Amino acid sequence: MIGLLILPLVVHTLTLARFDIVAKPVFGFNPSPVTVEMLEGHSYNSAVSVSNVTANSPNLVWTAVPSANWISLNNYSGTSSTSSPKIIEVTVSTIGLSPGIHNGSVQFSTSDGITGTLPVSVTVLPKPAQLLVQRV
């Protein structure tokens, strides 16, 4: 006689979790660094593109703080993406600066703790001497 063995059917369910990998945004600046050489008592504006250089990452919503009072910006906050950078004006003023090299930066940060630094350097040249001619 042939016996028939019946085994219970066991079903296992496997649940997979879905994880979306989102790349971390990174600041990009163009030009970087901002380097200027000029005479005492003048100012210079440089257009700088602030962008997110990481593809497939969220926009950067940022604030900016210059490290020195001779650096100023036309926008101290903005939003940048990979496809739509924000153009800001960085103004360097040599008014009140002594001749020589002065280094500073603009620190960019987001509420998520992402930071970026734009170096800024100015070489201040002394004013040329003036020759006074006196008629005799």
Side-chain angles (χ1 to χ4, degrees):
M1 174 168 180
I2 298 179
L4 183 61
L5 180 62
I6 299 176
L7 297 175
L9 178 63
V10 177
V11 176
H12 293 280
T13 303
L14 178 62
T15 304
L16 298 176
R18 178 180 169 191
F19 294 99
D20 291 326
I21 298 174
V22 177
K24 182 179 177 183
V26 174
F27 280 101
F29 307 105
N30 187 22
S32 179
V34 173
T35 304
V36 180
E37 184 176 292
M38 64 183 156
L39 293 173
E40 293 177 79
H42 292 83
S43 62
Y44 174 81
N45 295 332
S46 177
V48 175
S49 171
V50 180
S51 64
N52 174 4
V53 297
T54 306
N56 301 320
S57 65
N59 290 346
L60 288 167
V61 179
W62 49 263
T63 57
V65 178
S67 67
N69 61 1
W70 49 268
I71 304 169
S72 61
L73 310 172
N74 70 331
N75 285 305
Y76 290 85
S77 62
T79 301
S80 301
S81 69
T82 54
S83 62
S84 181
K86 176 78 172 177
I87 306 298
I88 63 170
E89 288 286 326
V90 177
T91 301
V92 175
S93 173
T94 62
I95 296 171
L97 293 181
S98 59
I101 298 172
H102 300 267
N103 293 305
S105 64
V106 180
Q107 183 69 35
F108 290 79
S109 61
T110 70
S111 61
D112 299 335
I114 298 167
T115 60
T117 302
L118 173 66
V120 180
S121 176
V122 61
T123 300
V124 180
L125 304 172
K127 290 181 182 177
Q130 294 182 350
L131 179 63
L132 295 175
V133 177
Q134 191 175 26
R135 290 187 175 186
V136 185

